[in-house]
Amino acid sequence: MTRASLDKQPHEVAAMFDDVAAKYDRTNDVLSLGQARAWRRAVADAVAAEPGQLVLDLGAGTGTSSLPFAEAGAKVVPCDFSTGMLAEGKQRHPELAMTAGDATKLPFADATFDAVTISFALRNVQDTDAALREMHRVTKPGGKVVICEFSTPTWTPFRTVYTEYLMRALPPVASAVSSNPDAYVYLAESIRSWPDQPELAAKLQQAGWTKVAWRNLTGGIVALHRGFRA
C-alpha cells in the first residue's frame, strides 16, 4: 500500500489514489458524515454550467464530480493524474471523456474552457501556484474557476474539535471502510497544512484571477473559492 508524503511527489500521490480508487467515493461519504454530496451540489451551483459550454473538471477521480455538468448539457472533460481512478471512472461512466493530465502541465490549448473546477484535489498538487496559473491559461476570457477544498473552520472551539477528529478519529474510521487507511492519514495531514481561506484567495489573485471571492460551507470545513479570467 502507498502513503504519500507532504512534499507531494506526483508519483506517490498518484499511486496512493490508484490504491483507493475502488472504494474512494464510498469512503468519502462515510468520512464526511454524508456532507460530500451537498458539497458537490454547491460546486455544481457555483459553476452553473450551461448547455454547449466546455467544462474542465480537474482531480475528477472516478468522474462523480463531473456528472452534474454533463447532466446540465455541458461538455465536461474529467481530468486526473491517477490512472487507477480514471480506469475505475471509465468502468462506471463510459460516456465521460476521462483524460489523464497533470494540473501543473495541462494538456490543453490556451483559452479552451468556459469554466475550470477542482474539488478536494488542489491540496494534493505539488505546486499549487503553478496549477492555478495553468487553470488560468486554459480558461477563456470571461470564464471562471471554482475551487472546492477543505479549509479552516471559522469558529475556534469547533476548529479544535475538527482537528482532533482529523488526526484521531479519521484513520480508524478509514481502516474500516477503505482499502488503504494510511492514505487517509496523509489526507488528514494535508488538510491541516493547507492555506486558510484568505491565503488561498491571495494565491488566486497572484495567478491572475480577478473578482476572487469565497464562501464557507459547513462552518468553514470546506470553502468554495471563485475567480474569473479577465
Side-chain angles (χ1 to χ4, degrees), residues 154-179:
T154 53
W155 189 43
T156 304
F158 176 67
R159 190 182 310 155
T160 302
V161 172
Y162 173 64
T163 302
E164 290 297 310
Y165 168 75
L166 281 176
M167 297 313 297
R168 294 189 183 185
L170 190 149
V173 172
S175 295
V177 295
S178 171
S179 55

Side-chain angles (χ1 to χ4, degrees), residues 91-157:
Q91 278 192 325
R92 299 182 191 180
H93 312 293
E95 74 280 8
L96 294 179
M98 312 299 286
T99 303
D102 182 339
T104 65
K105 300 172 185 176
L106 291 172
F108 307 109
D110 295 357
T112 297
F113 297 94
D114 297 286
V116 178
T117 184
I118 183 168
S119 295
F120 307 111
L122 185 58
R123 74 182 192 286
N124 298 318
V125 177
Q126 187 177 35
D127 189 338
T128 303
D129 297 323
L132 293 175
R133 291 193 298 268
E134 273 292 271
M135 293 158 74
H136 185 270
R137 178 184 67 79
V138 302
T139 302
K140 295 177 182 177
K144 71 174 73 169
V145 64
V146 174
I147 298 169
C148 183
E149 189 52 88
F150 289 108
S151 198
T152 303
T154 53
W155 189 43
T156 304

Side-chain angles (χ1 to χ4, degrees), residues 13-14 53 61 67 75 89 93 110 126 135 152 192-193 217 221:
V13 178
Q53 288 188 329
L67 295 176
K75 182 178 179 182
H93 312 293
D110 295 357
Q126 187 177 35
M135 293 158 74
T152 303
R192 293 203 337 168
S193 65
L217 304 176
I221 287 178

